[in-house]
C-alpha cells in the first residue's frame, strides 16, 4: 500500500495512481514492474481541484493542510471558473506555511519605530518561493468523455509540470489516455523519479458480478533520462529499468471469484440511514483471483538484460491472490457500530514461486536445512487493513503491507511495510463518500482528500 492504496483497490495488481502531497494534483504513478504491476491508473477519479472545491463549499474548509519532505507544512485553496456547463477552469494555489514561519524567525530584520509587524510580514509574504500555482481545465466533451489539462509551477524548479488526460467510458470498459511532462514515479523503496516525458494508453474491462473474468491492456512510452526527484528512504539510487526510454505493451487476463462465508440477516435500524451504504452489512467473505500477464518491451526499458544489439524482450507469468474480509456492525449507531478487517495475500509470479517450492522440496527430500532464499521466494506479499468506528461518522483506519525478510532479520522476519494511519469522516448525505486525513510516517507525508465509493 505504497500510495494510500486501500487494500481492495484494483485487486492489488493493477496499481492505481498513488496519493501524495508532493504535487499539486496529489498524484504520483507507481513504477511499472515485469510483468506486474501494470503501473497505470484505471478509470476516473475526482480530480484534486474538485476535491478542494467540494470541501470549501460544503465542508467549511477554506484551506486544506498537507505535509511532505522537504517542502514542509503547506496550505491549499482553489478558485473555480465555470465558463460553461461543460467547461471548468480551476486555479489551485499552495502556500508554504512552514517555510514562511522559518523565514520570519530567521530574519534579523526588525520593524522600524513607525512601521508595523504587518508590513514586515507583508515583505516576507512577497517571496515567490512560498507559493506554487496550478492551472487545471476540465472539459466534459460528451456524457462519456472527459478531457483534462493541467499545468503546475513550483518554487523548487524552473520546469513546470504539464499533464493531459482523456477518459472515455464504454459500456463495459474504461479507456484512459495520459501524457505527462515530466512524469513523476515512485519505486518500491519510496524514491521519486522524474521522467522527461511519459505517455500511457490503458483499456480495462469492468466487472461487477461475484464470478467474472476480466482483462487489461496497456501501452507505456517513456523518453529522456530519468532523474531522481527525491530520495527520502536513502535505500537505492539506481534508476528502475522500466523508466528508461522505450515502449512497453502489457496484457492481463484474470478470473475472479467472490464467496460469502456468512452474511447477517438481522434487520437494520428503521428510519436510520447508515453513514456509508457500502459498509452497512455485517459479513465474512473471501475472494480469489488467478490470471496471466505478459509484457513486450522495445528500447532500453527491457524486462531483463539482453545480448548486445538486441533491443526487445518478452516476459509472461501467472499470478494469483486470496482476500479475506470480515465486518461487524451496520455503521448506523452512534458508537462502535463498525469493525472491519481485510487481508490479502498476493503471489505475483508463479515461476518464482514454483522455483522456490521446488528448491524447498529438494532440500527436504535430501534431509537438508531449507535455504533462506527458497523460503523467501515462496512468501507471498501481504496487506492488511483495520477500520474501527469511534463516534458517529468518524472512524480510524490503519492499512499496512506485511513483509517477511528472512535474510536480514532471521530472528523477527515479519515487519510492517509503510503503514498508513487515517481518520475518516463519512459524508452520510452522499450515501458513500468520505473525507480522509491520512499520514504515512515512512514517507513523511500527510494530506486530506475526498473519496467516493471506496471501501
Amino acid at each position: 500500500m505504497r500510495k494510500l492504496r486501500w487494500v481492495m483497490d484494483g485487486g492489488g495488481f493493477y496499481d492505481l495512481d498513488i496519493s501524495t502531497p508532493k504535487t499539486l494534483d496529489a498524484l504520483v504513478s507507481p513504477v511499472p514492474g515485469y510483468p506486474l504491476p501494470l503501473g497505470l491508473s484505471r478509470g476516473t477519479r475526482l480530480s484534486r481541484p474538485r476535491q478542494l472545491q467540494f470541501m470549501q463549499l460544503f465542508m467549511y474548509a477554506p484551506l486544506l493542510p498537507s505535509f511532505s519532505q522537504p517542502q514542509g507544512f503547506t496550505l491549499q485553496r482553489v478558485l473555480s471558473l465555470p465558463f460553461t456547463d461543460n467547461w471548468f477552469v480551476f486555479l489551485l494555489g499552495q502556500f508554504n506555511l512552514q517555510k514562511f514561519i522559518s523565514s520570519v524567525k530567521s530574519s534579523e530584520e526588525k520593524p522600524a519605530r513607525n512601521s508595523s509587524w504587518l508590513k514586515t510580514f507583508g515583505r516576507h509574504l512577497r517571496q515567490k518561493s512560498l507559493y506554487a500555482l496550478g492551472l487545471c481545465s476540465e472539459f466534459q466533451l460528451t456524457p462519456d468523455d472527459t478531457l483534462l489539462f493541467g499545468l503546475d509551477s513550483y518554487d523548487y524548479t524552473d520546469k513546470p509540470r504539464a499533464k493531459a488526460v482523456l477518459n472515455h467510458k464504454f459500456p463495459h470498459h474504461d479507456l484512459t489516455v495520459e501524457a505527462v511532462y515530466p512524469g513523476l514515479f515512485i519505486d518500491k523503496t519510496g524514491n521519486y523519479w522524474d521522467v522527461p516525458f511519459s505517455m500511457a494508453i490503458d483499456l480495462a474491462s469492468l466487472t461487477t458480478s461475484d464470478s467474472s473474468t476480466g482483462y487489461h491492456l496497456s501501452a507505456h512510452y517513456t523518453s529522456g533520462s530519468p532523474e531522481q526527484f527525491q530520495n527520502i528512504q536513502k535505500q537505492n539510487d539506481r534508476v528502475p529499468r522500466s523508466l528508461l526510454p522505450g515502449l512497453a505493451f502489457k496484457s492481463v487476463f484474470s478470473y475472479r471469484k467472490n464467496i460469502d462465508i456468512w452474511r447477517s440477516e438481522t434487520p437494520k435500524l428503521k428510519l436510520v440511514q447508515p453513514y456509508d451504504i457500502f459498509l452497512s452489512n455485517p459479513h465474512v467473505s473471501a475472494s480469489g483471483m488467478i490470471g496471466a500477464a505478459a509484457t513486450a518491451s522495445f528500447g532500453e526499458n527491457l524486462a531483463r538484460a539482453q545480448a548486445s544489439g538486441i533491443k526487445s524482450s518478452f516476459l509472461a507469468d501467472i499470478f494469483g491472490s486470496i482476500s479475506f474480509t470480515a465486518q461487524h456492525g451496520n455503521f448506523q449507531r452512534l458508537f462502535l457500530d463498525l469493525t472491519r478487517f481485510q487481508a490479502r495475500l498476493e503471489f505475483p509470479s508463479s515461476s518464482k514461486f514454483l522455483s522456490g517450492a521446488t528448491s524447498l522440496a529438494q532440500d527436504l527430500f535430501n534431509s537438508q536445512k531449507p535455504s533462506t532464499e527458497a523460503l523467501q521466494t515462496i512468501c507471498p506479499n501481504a496487506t492488511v487493513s483495520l477500520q474501527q468506528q469511534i463516534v458517529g461518522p468518524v472512524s480510524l483506519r490503519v492499512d499496512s503491507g506485511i513483509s517477511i525478510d528472512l535474510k536480514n532479520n532471521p530472528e523477527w522476519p515479519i515487519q510492517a511495510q509503510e503503514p498508513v494511519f487515517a481518520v475518516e469522516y463519512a459524508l452520510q448525505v452522499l450515501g458513500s463518500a468520505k473525507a480522509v486525513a491520512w499520514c504515512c510516517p515512512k514517507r513523511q507525508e500527510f494530506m486530506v482528500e475526498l473519496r467516493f465509493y471506496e471501501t
Side-chain angles (χ1 to χ4, degrees):
M1 201 193 21
R2 293 170 290 113
K3 63 171 193 94
L4 180 71
R5 185 184 70 191
W6 298 137
V7 168
M8 299 306 292
D9 280 355
F13 293 103
Y14 314 127
D15 269 5
L16 303 176
D17 287 340
I18 299 168
S19 298
T20 179
K22 291 186 181 294
T23 58
L24 289 177
D25 66 354
L27 294 175
V28 60
S29 299
V31 171
Y34 295 112
L36 292 169
L38 297 182
L40 295 178
S41 60
R42 299 187 304 148
T44 60
R45 61 178 295 171
L46 199 64
S47 65
R48 184 61 175 172
R50 286 197 176 274
Q51 292 183 35
L52 295 175
Q53 180 191 38
F54 182 93
M55 293 186 181
Q56 289 174 192
L57 293 176
F58 303 107
M59 299 185 66
Y60 308 102
L63 298 170
L64 282 186
S66 64
F67 177 86
S68 65
Q69 290 288 8
Q71 287 88 348
F73 188 81
T74 60
L75 299 173
Q76 290 185 339
R77 182 172 175 83
V78 71
L79 174 65
S80 60
L81 304 173
F83 285 96
T84 66
D85 293 339
N86 300 323
W87 180 25
F88 287 82
V89 175
F90 300 94
L91 181 62
L92 194 157
Q94 179 174 280
F95 175 68
N96 195 319
L97 180 62
Q98 183 169 332
K99 192 172 183 179
F100 168 72
I101 294 176
S102 299
S103 176
V104 172
K105 287 183 177 180
S106 61
S107 176
E108 297 180 355
E109 176 187 4
K110 296 183 179 179
R113 182 176 300 177
N114 296 327
S115 66
S116 65
W117 285 104
L118 185 60
K119 292 182 180 180
T120 303
F121 286 157
R123 283 191 288 270
H124 287 283
L125 288 172
R126 287 196 292 269
Q127 300 179 38
K128 294 182 180 180
S129 61
L130 299 178
Y131 303 93
L133 295 176
L135 181 66
C136 178
S137 180
E138 291 188 15
F139 298 88
Q140 189 74 32
L141 303 178
T142 69
D144 298 323
D145 294 274
T146 304
L147 182 63
L148 182 146
F149 292 101
L151 183 64
D152 301 337
S153 175
Y154 301 87
D155 64 282
Y156 55 80
T157 179
D158 295 332
K159 298 179 180 179
R161 294 189 180 277
K163 173 183 288 189
V165 183
L166 172 66
N167 288 299
H168 177 76
K169 294 182 179 179
F170 291 101
H172 302 289
H173 299 79
D174 274 343
L175 173 67
T176 301
V177 181
E178 179 182 79
V180 288
Y181 174 84
L184 186 63
F185 294 82
I186 184 173
D187 61 23
K188 293 182 178 180
T189 61
N191 296 330
Y192 289 81
W193 299 90
D194 263 334
V195 177
F197 179 77
S198 174
M199 183 174 181
I201 303 175
D202 181 39
L203 179 66
S205 62
L206 301 177
T207 57
T208 57
S209 62
D210 291 337
S211 178
S212 59
T213 58
Y215 58 89
H216 197 119
L217 308 175
S218 65
H220 190 193
Y221 171 76
T222 56
S223 67
S225 300
E227 296 181 356
Q228 194 168 50
F229 175 66
Q230 288 174 346
N231 187 351
I232 300 299
Q233 309 306 327
K234 305 295 183 183
Q235 295 183 21
N236 183 17
D237 58 358
R238 184 178 180 181
V239 178
R241 184 180 294 272
S242 60
L243 296 184
L244 295 175
L247 177 65
F249 295 96
K250 297 190 176 186
S251 62
V252 173
F253 296 86
S254 61
Y255 173 78
R256 186 183 185 92
K257 178 67 175 180
N258 299 326
I259 301 175
D260 271 347
I261 301 173
W262 168 82
R263 186 168 293 271
S264 174
E265 298 180 357
T266 304
K268 301 177 184 178
L269 298 178
K270 295 182 179 180
L271 304 178
V272 178
Q273 180 180 346
Y275 292 106
D276 190 315
I277 58 175
F278 288 163
L279 299 176
S280 61
N281 295 307
H283 68 281
V284 176
S285 62
S287 65
M289 176 190 290
I290 187 170
T295 297
S297 304
F298 304 89
E300 299 179 29
N301 62 337
L302 302 181
R304 50 193 169 197
Q306 300 291 303
S308 176
I310 299 178
K311 289 293 184 178
S312 63
S313 66
F314 179 81
L315 184 65
D317 211 338
I318 297 174
F319 64 89
S321 71
I322 301 173
S323 302
F324 174 82
T325 302
Q327 176 179 321
H328 172 73
N330 299 101
F331 208 16
Q332 289 181 294
R333 295 178 172 84
L334 190 60
F335 298 103
L336 306 177
D337 193 30
L338 174 67
T339 302
R340 185 179 176 89
F341 173 78
Q342 294 175 299
R344 184 177 66 238
L345 298 179
E346 299 177 353
F347 301 87
S349 173
S350 64
S351 59
K352 292 182 179 180
F353 180 84
L354 291 176
S355 175
T358 302
S359 176
L360 182 62
Q362 290 177 347
D363 291 339
L364 295 177
F365 180 78
N366 296 326
S367 300
Q368 298 178 353
K369 181 180 178 180
S371 66
T372 303
E373 292 76 10
L375 291 173
Q376 186 73 52
T377 303
I378 65 174
C379 291
N381 301 328
T383 53
V384 295
S385 173
L386 178 63
Q387 182 177 359
Q388 176 63 59
Q389 179 198 17
I390 304 302
V391 57
V394 179
S395 62
L396 299 180
R397 182 163 182 163
V398 179
D399 288 19
S400 179
I402 303 296
S403 62
I404 301 177
D405 190 352
L406 299 174
K407 297 181 181 179
N408 301 321
N409 299 284
E411 296 181 357
W412 186 252
I414 301 177
Q415 298 178 347
Q417 185 179 19
E418 290 199 11
V420 176
F421 304 91
V423 178
E424 297 187 358
Y425 184 90
L427 304 177
Q428 186 179 21
V429 69
L430 298 180
S432 181
K434 54 194 174 186
V436 183
W438 62 265
C439 70
C440 180
K442 184 176 181 180
R443 279 165 43 198
Q444 302 181 57
E445 294 180 357
F446 161 82
M447 70 179 296
V448 179
E449 58 181 325
L450 195 65
R451 292 174 173 249
F452 288 90
Y453 308 111
E454 292 187 15
T455 59

